[in-house]
Amino acid sequence: MARLLCILFVLATYSISSSPTLWNDKTIVADSSRGSGLASAAEVFTNDFIIKLKPDVEKKYGDELARELEFINHGQIPTSDELYHFQHNQVKSVAPSPSFEHLLRLQLNPKVESVYQVKGYDNRLKRGYKPKLLSHRYKGMDPLYPDQWYLKNTGQAGGIPGLDLNIREAWDLGYTGKGVVVAIMDDGIDYLHPDLRDNYIKEASYDFSSNDPYPYPRYTVDWYNSHGTRCAGEVVGKADNGICGVGVAYNAKVAGIRMLDQPYMTDLVEAKSMSHKPDLIDIYSASWGPTDDGKTVDGPRRLTLQAIVHGVNKGRHGLGSIYVWASGDGGAYDDCNCDGYASSMWTISINSAVNNGETAIYDESCSSTLASTFSNSGEPIPGAGVATTDLYGNCTLHHSGTSAAAPEAAGVYALALEANPSLTWRDVQHLTVLTSTRNLLTDALHQWQTNGAGFSFNHLFGFGVLNAGNMVKMAKKWKTVPARYRCEAGRTTKQYIIPTDEVLVLEIETAACEGGNNIKYLEHVQAVLTLDSTRRGDVTINMTSPMNTNSILLRKRPRDDDNSQGFTRWPFMTTHAWGENPKGIWTLRIAFSGNMPQQGILRECRLILHGTQEAPYADEIVSSDELKLAAITEMEKEEASI
């Protein structure tokens, strides 16, 4: 009997996870279920089960099976017609071992093909620097608006006038986010808050932590679960009601998706959150991710990847869901290319700048960051934080980190979608590249560069700070970009020793799939690498395009002592070659940067190109240059008048 139980459990555990994954968009991704060397918690099991019925079984049998075996049927998993989410309240929500009894009862049913008990892993952490500062209540006509320097910078708190999101121009043009729905995937939203309740949309909201339709934050003495409420206020805080400040897209609707507040995160919770109401929700904003400790390499699992891919292919009635991600708060010790959420090409990774254009002490840098918005510096400067809503009807001046940056971007994109509801997920990324401005953003370590297509970029700030006025004007007349192609430009499984004191140089010559999926204008580039080293944190990786644009794919991470996991088929991504012709020689350079000699082996390398065969916007590039020039001229005029 014991042997039978063991066999059945093995079958139950692996029957679904080993089944083939079908992708609409065949792209290299990071998935921990495939052994990609991700850091993970000690294995735990939840009270959630994924059930696969046999092909000839009617869908309605799911409810009957759940009642018969005393499970709760939470319905089909959104990205699959075959998989169902069952839950059993008699099973512990967090346990060190699987529930053999319940697995066996499900697996022995003649109409069940397979069953899998969902495992938990390290919970995702909210991104925000020093989140436990006191909140305050304010009175008057939008009393915090003068403190919202990221909307209109007049020099508050030592900032530079004009260094902001240029929101007022978009508002003056009549764009306030009307008709657009933004979901805050977080620890819940205080939807009773007087500055949020009129813009809250319950039809698009859900609590995946408690499996009910009321995503209200769980009470804690220290107000730890204020994160989502703060993010929501940045996007949709109501205008001219005398409460707190005003949202970037103050006439948009906000949905609350509560999914962070539990002991462990699961692939199922993330997947259901990111695929919730995809034809009602336009933008999903996420200010969280794997631990920003400088030694974690982690990303989305299989169901979550399927949900994101399904979102960009099918969401918004085929135009594609827009996923906005905070790039991370690990500072100089971390690299956001080790975060599989922020470095995904299906998400828009947003970093932050300070009100004087400098780098915040928590800012991570990586080649996958697309653009920046604003947040605090990480230093205790009065008035330099982000002003927004807080729990229980309160307001705060102290929202912070890239947690505050991502919702600002989501608000700007809501304005763009109001200007042109037909924008695809790729259109939004192209608009970001074209209309973001360098302004006065500066970093001592990472200088601004110009790529082969003429775009200015920065390893920390991406293509610059979002400019709402520029974006809505260009969005209004935008024509959808041409079809996107994927090209595997080169592959090698030959093993290369990474020298201790020298640089491993690997050259990949490519015709960019000429005659087939030929790419002439780049969007994203992925270098998919498998490598081992005696100290992962000392590995540095650089890649140079045929048009001589250098991308830092991985920099030194001094806290990462890993000597066993390494990287397994990890997709390092860069946006820095955007618009370039990829034909020619790509050069990969891998080296060690540390005080002690190290050893390493590159076991596999694949170069994946993504882009178009036709020029995406010949006319728009001219318009963009004119817009950027006009913005710089206005900025110089304001500077001269100070």
Side-chain angles (χ1 to χ4, degrees):
M1 182 63 182
R3 186 164 179 260
L4 175 62
L5 278 173
C6 182
I7 292 171
L8 286 171
F9 174 62
V10 170
L11 288 172
T13 302
Y14 292 103
S15 56
I16 289 181
S17 62
S18 61
S19 62
T21 302
L22 300 178
W23 303 100
N24 291 325
D25 190 328
K26 294 181 180 178
T27 304
I28 297 297
V29 294
D31 180 357
S32 67
S33 65
R34 298 178 295 164
S36 54
L38 308 184
S40 60
E43 193 171 70
V44 297
F45 293 83
T46 70
N47 61 348
D48 296 301
F49 298 79
I50 297 176
I51 312 299
K52 186 176 183 180
L53 298 178
K54 291 183 177 178
D56 58 342
V57 177
E58 294 185 21
K59 294 179 180 179
K60 63 181 181 181
Y61 180 71
D63 288 331
E64 183 181 330
L65 175 64
R67 286 194 299 271
E68 178 185 336
L69 300 182
E70 298 180 338
F71 282 80
I72 300 170
N73 181 10
H74 288 295
Q76 287 178 270
I77 293 175
T79 55
S80 172
D81 292 332
E82 304 172 325
L83 305 181
Y84 291 80
H85 174 200
F86 278 23
Q87 191 176 63
H88 204 294
N89 290 334
Q90 298 302 312
V91 178
K92 291 182 179 179
S93 59
V94 176
S97 59
S99 175
F100 295 100
E101 174 191 350
H102 294 88
L103 284 167
L104 184 61
R105 288 168 63 191
L106 288 166
Q107 187 67 62
L108 288 178
N109 188 284
K111 295 184 179 181
V112 172
E113 181 172 312
S114 58
V115 58
Y116 171 75
Q117 187 170 357
V118 177
K119 298 176 184 178
Y121 45 84
D122 281 339
N123 203 354
R124 297 312 184 208
L125 298 184
K126 308 165 194 176
R127 287 176 169 158
Y129 195 77
K130 298 180 181 178
K132 296 184 180 180
L133 296 172
L134 294 176
S135 301
H136 307 278
R137 181 181 293 277
Y138 295 84
K139 297 179 181 180
M141 183 63 70
D142 289 341
L144 295 194
Y145 176 68
D147 297 293
Q148 293 181 289
W149 52 267
Y150 52 93
L151 301 181
K152 184 172 178 60
N153 194 334
T154 59
Q156 308 98 309
I160 297 177
L163 186 57
D164 53 45
L165 296 172
N166 193 23
I167 294 294
R168 289 303 301 261
E169 182 178 14
W171 290 350
D172 290 345
L173 291 169
Y175 301 112
T176 58
K178 190 174 182 180
V180 180
V181 177
V182 179
I184 305 296
M185 298 188 296
D186 214 289
D187 56 14
I189 290 179
D190 179 1
Y191 47 78
L192 302 177
H193 195 294
D195 214 23
L196 300 176
R197 62 191 178 200
D198 291 344
N199 286 332
Y200 177 71
I201 178 168
K202 64 180 181 180
E203 295 84 359
S205 302
Y206 200 78
D207 186 335
F208 289 103
S209 292
S210 299
N211 286 303
D212 63 57
Y214 308 104
Y216 198 84
R218 179 177 59 88
Y219 175 77
T220 63
V221 174
D222 61 0
W223 288 21
Y224 178 70
N225 291 319
S226 62
H227 197 254
T229 301
R230 294 180 173 193
C231 292
E234 290 181 87
V235 183
V236 300
K238 193 172 182 180
D240 298 323
N241 64 347
I243 302 169
C244 298
V246 59
V248 171
Y250 58 81
N251 276 329
K253 295 295 184 183
V254 67
I257 296 180
R258 181 171 176 262
M259 42 81 70
L260 281 186
D261 188 25
Q262 61 250 351
Y264 287 92
M265 181 55 69
T266 70
D267 191 16
L268 183 61
V269 167
E270 288 187 5
K272 295 183 81 170
S273 299
M274 293 181 205
S275 56
H276 183 63
K277 302 287 185 179
D279 288 335
L280 183 55
I281 294 170
D282 299 293
I283 302 166
Y284 297 80
S285 180
S287 292
W288 50 269
T291 308
D292 293 322
D293 57 6
K295 58 185 178 181
T296 298
V297 178
D298 202 353
R301 271 63 168 172
R302 178 173 296 170
L303 291 176
T304 302
L305 287 171
Q306 288 177 325
I308 297 174
V309 172
H310 185 270
V312 297
N313 280 290
K314 303 294 185 182
R316 295 177 56 233
H317 303 283
L319 295 173
S321 302
I322 297 160
Y323 297 97
V324 182
W325 224 275
S327 62
D329 290 351
Y333 295 103
D334 214 341
D335 188 304
C336 39
N337 251 352
C338 292
D339 175 344
Y341 300 87
S343 66
S344 168
M345 63 188 189
W346 297 311
T347 68
I348 300 176
S349 179
I350 298 293
N351 209 343
S352 68
V354 183
N355 64 351
N356 63 2
E358 295 179 358
T359 309
I361 61 175
Y362 50 78
D363 277 336
E364 293 183 33
S365 61
C366 64
S367 57
S368 56
T369 296
L370 202 63
S372 299
T373 55
F374 293 101
S375 190
N376 72 331
S377 65
E379 301 291 347
I381 301 173
V386 173
T388 182
T389 51
D390 211 344
L391 287 175
Y392 318 125
N394 287 290
C395 314
T396 182
L397 287 169
H398 302 299
H399 195 32
S400 59
T402 53
S403 276
E408 291 171 17
V412 173
Y413 294 139
L415 301 178
L417 289 186
E418 182 189 6
N420 186 345
S422 297
L423 296 175
T424 68
W425 69 277
R426 288 176 54 233
D427 290 335
V428 172
Q429 293 204 16
H430 279 275
L431 283 168
T432 300
V433 173
L434 283 169
T435 64
S436 295
T437 54
R438 175 175 174 175
N439 208 308
L440 292 176
L441 302 186
T442 181
D443 180 71
L445 180 61
H446 301 294
Q447 303 301 312
W448 285 88
Q449 303 174 62
T450 302
N451 75 5
F455 290 112
S456 293
F457 71 92
N458 183 285
H459 184 65
L460 185 77
F461 300 118
F463 290 94
V465 65
L466 293 184
N467 186 310
N470 287 3
M471 187 172 286
V472 298
K473 286 188 289 188
M474 190 170 285
K476 184 67 176 177
K477 60 185 180 65
W478 185 258
K479 296 178 181 178
T480 297
V481 292
R484 173 175 170 269
Y485 291 85
R486 171 189 181 275
C487 167
E488 182 166 321
R491 176 205 289 252
T492 177
T493 55
K494 179 181 176 181
Q495 295 191 3
Y496 294 87
I497 300 296
I498 304 172
T500 299
D501 300 317
E502 298 178 15
V503 179
L504 170 62
V505 179
L506 187 65
E507 292 186 342
I508 302 173
E509 186 169 6
T510 177
C513 297
E514 206 167 52
N517 289 344
N518 183 217
I519 294 174
K520 295 181 180 179
Y521 304 91
L522 280 173
E523 293 175 4
H524 309 87
V525 180
Q526 294 173 304
V528 186
L529 305 180
T530 298
L531 65 84
D532 302 324
S533 66
T534 51
R535 191 175 192 279
R536 186 171 61 188
D538 283 355
V539 177
T540 64
I541 306 172
N542 288 262
M543 185 168 67
T544 304
S545 74
M547 298 187 77
N548 206 36
T549 298
N550 183 59
S551 296
I552 304 171
L553 299 184
L554 179 66
R555 63 176 182 167
K556 177 181 172 65
R557 298 203 307 164
R559 294 175 177 172
D560 186 355
D561 291 325
D562 172 78
N563 62 6
S564 60
Q565 297 287 324
F567 295 100
T568 303
R569 299 186 298 278
W570 187 262
F572 293 95
M573 195 268 279
T574 179
T575 62
H576 293 168
W578 198 281
E580 292 187 359
N581 187 331
K583 186 177 180 179
I585 296 175
W586 290 79
T587 305
L588 193 70
R589 296 178 176 85
I590 305 177
F592 288 111
S593 175
N595 298 323
M596 300 293 292
Q598 304 295 339
Q599 298 177 346
I601 301 175
L602 175 65
R603 300 189 181 279
E604 183 181 11
C605 173
R606 297 174 66 191
L607 180 65
I608 313 294
L609 310 175
H610 306 269
T612 63
Q613 296 180 352
E614 304 170 45
Y617 32 66
D619 296 336
E620 282 79 359
I621 288 177
V622 175
S623 301
S624 176
D625 288 342
E626 291 172 352
L627 285 168
K628 290 183 178 183
L629 180 61
I632 293 169
T633 303
E634 287 300 313
M635 182 180 67
E636 288 173 344
K637 286 180 181 177
E638 289 189 17
E639 242 188 321
S641 65
I642 296 174

